[in-house]
């Protein structure tokens, strides 16, 4: 629909002929072929981690069930979700894999399971946040690949430059987010604390980059 509206718009204003528009559209589609190829491999890798194949989520659940304390569960789930999303390149797939496993772990580890308790809620949020964090850093993520290809930026350079920002935000989120939340500290404290930490990091370690440098 978007392509059709674009073609009609150019025809109305008379800026491009129909043949030129289809030629340019074919050229643009061909430029995206390397990205599509990477996405095919990423989806194949994601399919290999499903329950019927390697069962990555089930393996992680069996390894962690008897080795961690309830207070560290949200932070560990955040790290695992980030690692799985980074390896598979899909945030939605990571959420689908880890959400039922993480919630089950939270109920097993808490002595008095409460769906609205801090451990369960923090664990659920850690799955979502960790999946987005890992997907943002992953070089095989569809969003990362399409961003670099669409902007004409070198893919490896795009990954290397955006990863530090995500890592800083992820580190702050664990220190003032998942850890305090597991102890029942209100998010009304954690959110301002996170903003203050990020502002101080920018103030102390940030530097002005000149255009073209």
């Amino acid at each position: 629909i978007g392509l059709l509206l674009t073609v009609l718009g150019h025809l109305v204003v008379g800026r491009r002929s129909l043949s030129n528009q289809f030629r340019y559209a074919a050229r643009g589609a061909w430029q995206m072929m390397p990205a599509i190829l990477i996405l095919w491999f990423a989806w194949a890798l994601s399919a290999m981690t499903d329950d019927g194949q390697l069962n990555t989520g089930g393996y992680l659940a069996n390894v962690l069930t008897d080795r961690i304390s309830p207070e560290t569960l949200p932070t560990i789930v955040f790290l695992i979700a980030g690692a799985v999303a980074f390896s598979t390149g899909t945030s939605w797939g990571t959420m689908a894999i880890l959400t039922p496993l993480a919630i089950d772990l939270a109920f097993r580890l808490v002595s008095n399971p409460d769906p609205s308790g801090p451990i369960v809620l923090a664990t659920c949020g850690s799955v979502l946040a960790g999946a987005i964090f890992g997907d943002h850093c992953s070089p095989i993520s569809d969003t990362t690949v399409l961003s670099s290809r669409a902007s004409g930026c070198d893919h490896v350079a795009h990954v290397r430059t955006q990863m530090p920002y995500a890592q800083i935000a992820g580190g702050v989120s664990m220190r003032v987010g998942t850890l305090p939340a597991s102890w029942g500290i209100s998010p009304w404290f954690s959110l301002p604390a996170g903003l203050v930490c990020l502002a101080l990091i920018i103030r102390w370690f940030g530097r002005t980059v000149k255009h073209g440098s």
Side-chain angles (χ1 to χ4, degrees):
I1 294 175
L3 177 61
L4 177 61
L5 292 177
T6 303
V7 171
L8 293 177
H10 280 288
L11 290 177
V12 170
V13 299
R15 297 184 61 181
R16 291 286 187 273
S17 66
L18 189 62
S19 59
N20 285 337
Q21 291 191 61
F22 281 111
R23 184 169 68 253
Y24 295 143
R27 184 183 302 174
W30 179 253
Q31 290 178 350
M32 297 306 299
M33 285 304 297
I36 294 176
L37 183 63
I38 295 176
L39 293 179
W40 282 339
F41 287 127
W43 289 329
L45 180 61
S46 177
M48 292 174 60
T49 61
D50 289 342
D51 294 343
Q53 304 299 325
L54 296 178
N55 191 21
T56 304
Y59 169 76
L60 294 175
N62 292 330
V63 169
L64 295 174
T65 301
D66 300 324
R67 299 186 180 182
I68 58 177
S69 63
E71 289 75 18
T72 59
L73 179 62
T75 303
I76 293 177
V77 167
F78 177 86
L79 294 173
I80 292 177
V84 173
F86 181 86
S87 302
T88 61
T90 170
S91 57
W92 291 104
T94 301
M95 296 175 191
I97 292 172
L98 293 184
T99 296
L101 298 170
I103 294 175
D104 183 57
L105 271 176
F107 278 108
R108 289 183 188 179
L109 294 178
V110 178
S111 56
N112 296 316
D114 181 7
S116 60
I119 299 296
V120 177
L121 292 180
T123 302
C124 294
S126 296
V127 173
L128 306 181
I132 297 298
F133 167 72
D135 179 78
H136 189 75
C137 297
S138 176
I140 61 174
S141 169
D142 52 354
T143 52
T144 306
V145 173
L146 293 177
S147 296
S148 61
R149 293 297 302 177
S151 61
C153 174
D154 180 76
H155 182 63
V156 176
H158 174 57
V159 174
R160 291 179 59 187
T161 52
Q162 75 169 354
M163 191 175 294
Y165 295 96
Q167 290 174 338
I168 291 173
V172 172
S173 298
M174 286 188 294
R175 286 171 175 81
V176 301
T178 58
L179 289 173
S182 63
W183 292 98
I185 297 178
S186 172
W188 293 110
F189 167 80
S190 299
L191 291 174
L195 292 176
V196 171
C197 290
L198 292 175
L200 292 177
I201 290 174
I202 295 175
R203 177 66 179 84
W204 290 338
F205 300 102
R207 63 185 179 88
T208 302
V209 179
K210 296 182 180 179
H211 180 70
S213 61

